[in-house]
Amino acid sequence: MFKGRWQWLRELARRARLMSMPRWLEHILPSRLLPRLLWVMAVGVLASQLIGNAIWANYLQNKSEQEVSAAADHIALGAVSAVHFFQSLPPNYRPLVIQQLREMGGTRFFVTVNDSPIPVHGIAVQPLSNQVLQVIRQIFEQKLPQLTDLRLAFAWPNQLAVSSDGMTVSQLPDHWIKNTLLMAPRPAPVLVIQTEIEPGHWLYLATLMPDPYFLDNSDPMPPERWLLQLITLFTVLLLTWVVVRWITRPLAALSEAAEAFGKGESPPLPAEGSEEFIRTAHAFGAMRERIQRYLEDREKLFAAISHDLRTPITRLKLRTEMLDDEAVRLEFHEDLDELDMMVKGALQSVKDSDIHENRTRIRLDALLGRMVRDSRMAGHEIAYSRCGLWVMVKPLALKRALSNLIDNALFYGERVEISVLEGVGKVVIVVRDHGPGVPDEALATLFDPYVRLDHGRQHNHQGHGLGLGIARNIIQAHGGVLELSNHPQGGLQAMVTLPQD
C-alpha cells in the first residue's frame, strides 16, 4: 500500500515538473537530469554563439565595406590626379619625371609608361576587392570621361610585370618600391591601374591599399574564431557536467532511498552536500520513520483486532447452540461462519504480506521448478519451460505470491502454463490457465478484498478472495507489477513483471 502511495506522489511530482513544458520538447529531451541539462546548455550556448557571431560578422562586414569604400575613393582621386599630371606632360618629359620620382624614393604610385597594356594575372575574386575596383571605376568615369579604356586589377607582387619589357616587381631596386609596394614580411596585394592617356601611351600605376591586408577582413569568422567558439562550448559543457553531477548525485541517492523504502527496505541516506539537500535528507529520514511507525502500529492494531475477534465469535457460536429454533440457529451459524472466515482471511492477509527477509539473488528455474513438481505430484496438469534467468528478490515472499497465482489458476482452470520472458532490465513471469476467463468489466475488481466471482465460489468454497491482493502487494514490494488479462485463446493469464537487478 505504501509503495503505491509513494509511486503516486512521485508521479504527481513528475507531472508538476513537466506541466509547463511543451509536449514536443518533452519527447526530445532525455529523461535523465544530467543529459537533459547538458543538452539544454549545449543548445543554449550554441544558439547564443550563432546569434552573437551573426551580429558580429554583420558588424565587421559593414565596417570593412565602409573602410574599403573610403580608401578606394581616396586612391581613385590620387590616381585621377596622377593621370591628369602625366597627360599634361610632353611625351619626351614623362620618362625623365618618372626617373626622378624613382630616385627620390617613389611616391604613392609606382609609375611606368608603356606602348601597350601589360597583362596582369589577377587574384581570386573576392567581395572587398570587387568593391574597390567598382568605386575606382565609377570615380574615373566621373572625373575622366574621355578615357575610353581603363583596366583595373589586384595582383600578387611576386610575379607582377611592371613594364612592357617584362620586368617584374622582384627585379626592381628596393629604393624604387620601398614606399610604394610591400614584399615583406608577407606580400600584400597590389592595385594595378592602366589607362591609355593618348594613342600608343599607356600609363601604368601600381600601389597598395591604406590597409595592405584588407582582404583578411573578407572573412569575418576565420577558423581561429570558430576554434575559440568550440573551446568555449567544450569548457561550458565540461563545467556543466561537473556541477550537475555534483548536484544530482545526492538527488540520485534520495531517489534510490525512496525506491528502496517503497520496497520495504530502509537504507541510510547520507546527509552531505548542499545545505538544501541536507535539510531534505533529514526531512526524508523523519518522514520515513513516521511512516514506518504508522505502518507497524497499523499492522499490530489490525492483527490484534482480528485475533481478539475470534474469542467473541467462538462464544457466540456456543450461545447459538442454546437456541431452540433450529432455523434461527442455522442462520446464526452461517453468519458467524462467514464472520470467522473474514477474520481468518484478515489474519492471513497480514501474515502473508508482512514477510521480513533479505533480498537474495535466486534462480527462477529452481524456485518455479519445485512448485511445478509439487503441483504435478498432487495430480495437476502444469507446463513449464526452463529459462535460466536470475532475479534479486525475497525468496519466501515471491514464492508465496507465485503460489497464490498458481493455486488460483489450478482451481479455476483445467491446466496451467508457466512461461518466463526476459526484457530490457526486467523479467516477466506469465501464469496462464485454461479456464473460462473473467468478464472484462470484472478484471479491475479481482484485487479487492473478499471479491469472488460466481465461477470461483463454485470451484473453491474455502477461499477468502484475498490471494490476488496479497500477491499484488508482494510483487509491488519488489518494485514489480502484477497484471491480469484474458488470453486471446481463452483462460485468464497473470503477468508478473520484476526488475532483473
Side-chain angles (χ1 to χ4, degrees):
M1 180 181 296
F2 170 72
K3 177 175 176 58
R5 292 182 178 178
W6 186 256
Q7 286 181 336
W8 178 79
L9 288 174
R10 287 195 298 177
E11 179 66 17
L12 185 62
R14 186 186 70 84
R15 292 187 178 182
R17 290 194 303 268
L18 299 178
M19 189 174 298
S20 60
M21 183 182 298
R23 186 171 295 275
W24 62 268
L25 185 58
E26 181 181 350
H27 291 302
I28 294 177
L29 289 176
S31 58
R32 301 189 52 148
L33 182 59
L34 177 58
R36 174 173 292 191
L37 288 179
L38 289 177
W39 190 90
V40 171
M41 289 298 298
V43 172
V45 173
L46 281 176
S48 62
Q49 287 182 339
L50 291 177
I51 295 174
N53 288 336
I55 296 175
W56 179 249
N58 183 66
Y59 167 75
L60 290 181
Q61 184 177 1
N62 292 336
K63 181 181 179 182
S64 299
E65 291 176 354
Q66 293 175 1
E67 293 177 349
V68 164
S69 297
D73 185 87
H74 179 70
I75 290 177
L77 294 177
V80 168
S81 298
V83 171
H84 274 300
F85 174 73
F86 281 98
Q87 277 183 330
S88 63
L89 294 176
N92 57 341
Y93 278 91
R94 292 168 186 164
L96 297 177
V97 173
I98 292 174
Q99 186 64 30
Q100 289 178 354
L101 293 175
R102 292 173 179 174
E103 295 299 332
M104 294 170 55
T107 61
R108 179 181 186 82
F109 298 96
F110 176 82
V111 185
T112 61
V113 176
N114 305 289
D115 54 5
S116 63
I118 299 174
V120 176
H121 181 67
I123 65 175
V125 177
Q126 298 188 34
L128 290 182
S129 61
N130 283 345
Q131 183 178 354
V132 172
L133 300 182
Q134 290 176 4
V135 171
I136 293 177
R137 186 174 297 277
Q138 290 175 359
I139 293 179
F140 262 80
E141 291 175 354
Q142 294 174 2
K143 302 295 184 182
L144 298 172
Q146 70 276 13
L147 296 179
T148 57
D149 198 351
L150 177 66
R151 302 189 180 187
L152 306 174
F154 277 100
W156 296 110
N158 299 331
Q159 300 297 326
L160 177 62
V162 296
S163 62
S164 55
D165 57 4
M167 181 176 293
T168 62
V169 172
S170 59
Q171 297 173 340
L172 298 176
D174 290 342
H175 67 279
W176 284 14
I177 60 173
K178 64 180 181 180
N179 296 325
T180 306
L181 306 181
L182 185 61
M183 301 291 291
R186 65 185 179 102
V190 178
L191 173 61
V192 178
I193 303 174
Q194 299 185 79
T195 183
E196 189 177 22
I197 56 179
E198 59 184 46
H201 293 267
W202 283 78
L203 184 64
Y204 180 102
L205 303 175
T207 187
L208 295 176
M209 294 290 290
D211 178 8
Y213 304 107
F214 75 102
L215 291 180
D216 293 345
N217 299 328
S218 297
D219 183 10
M221 295 298 298
E224 295 81 5
R225 184 171 178 83
W226 286 113
L227 178 61
L228 178 61
Q229 300 292 333
L230 290 177
I231 293 175
T232 302
L233 176 62
F234 176 77
T235 303
V236 171
L237 291 181
L238 180 60
L239 293 177
T240 302
W241 180 79
V242 172
V243 173
V244 172
R245 273 187 61 87
W246 175 67
I247 294 175
T248 57
R249 186 175 298 172
L251 295 179
L254 179 60
S255 176
E256 293 174 358
E259 184 175 0
F261 185 44
K263 296 177 181 179
E265 302 174 1
S266 298
L269 185 61
E272 58 184 15
S274 62
E275 182 180 352
E276 292 79 5
F277 178 75
I278 293 176
R279 290 202 302 266
T280 303
H282 289 317
F284 176 80
M287 179 194 69
R288 181 175 57 188
E289 293 177 0
R290 289 194 301 269
I291 294 176
Q292 191 66 38
R293 287 196 303 269
Y294 165 75
L295 293 177
E296 292 175 356
D297 294 342
R298 172 182 166 274
E299 291 175 359
K300 292 178 181 178
L301 179 62
F302 187 66
I305 293 175
S306 300
H307 183 271
D308 293 342
L309 281 175
R310 301 185 65 181
T311 300
I313 291 175
T314 304
R315 288 200 305 265
L316 288 174
K317 284 185 177 181
L318 293 176
R319 291 177 181 176
T320 56
E321 296 295 333
M322 302 173 62
L323 295 175
D324 296 331
D325 192 336
E326 182 68 21
V328 174
R329 184 170 64 251
L330 290 177
E331 290 180 359
F332 269 107
H333 269 293
E334 289 179 1
D335 292 339
L336 291 174
D337 288 341
E338 184 177 355
L339 181 59
D340 186 43
M341 184 180 296
M342 294 178 64
V343 171
K344 290 179 180 179
L347 288 173
Q348 180 186 354
S349 177
V350 174
K351 180 180 178 181
D352 289 350
S353 300
D354 187 20
I355 299 177
H356 301 284
E357 59 177 324
N358 296 326
R359 289 178 177 267
T360 307
R361 193 168 184 265
I362 65 170
R363 190 160 54 93
L364 282 176
D365 288 332
L367 176 65
L368 292 173
R370 287 193 298 268
M371 299 171 66
V372 170
R373 286 194 300 269
D374 294 342
S375 298
R376 287 174 179 172
M377 291 178 62
H380 298 293
E381 184 179 355
I382 184 169
Y384 171 67
S385 300
R386 299 175 65 86
C387 62
L389 298 177
W390 296 71
V391 289
M392 182 70 71
V393 295
K394 296 179 178 181
L396 293 179
L398 181 62
K399 181 180 179 181
R400 186 162 297 168
L402 295 178
S403 296
N404 287 345
L405 297 178
I406 294 174
D407 290 342
N408 278 351
L410 292 173
F411 272 122
Y412 307 130
E414 298 176 357
R415 53 193 173 91
V416 175
E417 296 177 0
I418 302 177
S419 57
V420 181
L421 308 174
E422 184 178 13
V424 180
K426 61 184 179 181
V427 173
V428 180
I429 304 173
V430 181
V431 180
R432 179 205 170 187
D433 63 50
H434 288 260
V438 174
D440 293 337
E441 61 273 11
L443 284 174
T445 64
L446 291 180
F447 294 109
D448 296 341
Y450 306 109
V451 171
R452 304 185 67 207
L453 303 181
D454 294 337
H455 178 73
R457 295 192 187 97
Q458 295 173 5
H459 287 73
N460 183 12
H461 299 285
Q462 302 300 322
H464 302 146
L466 299 173
L468 290 177
I470 294 173
R472 185 176 66 171
N473 291 338
I474 294 175
I475 297 303
Q476 288 181 344
H478 284 82
V481 178
L482 172 59
E483 296 176 329
L484 300 177
S485 62
N486 287 309
H487 195 275
Q489 298 178 359
L492 184 70
Q493 67 176 6
M495 184 177 298
V496 177
T497 304
L498 295 172
Q500 193 165 11
D501 295 330

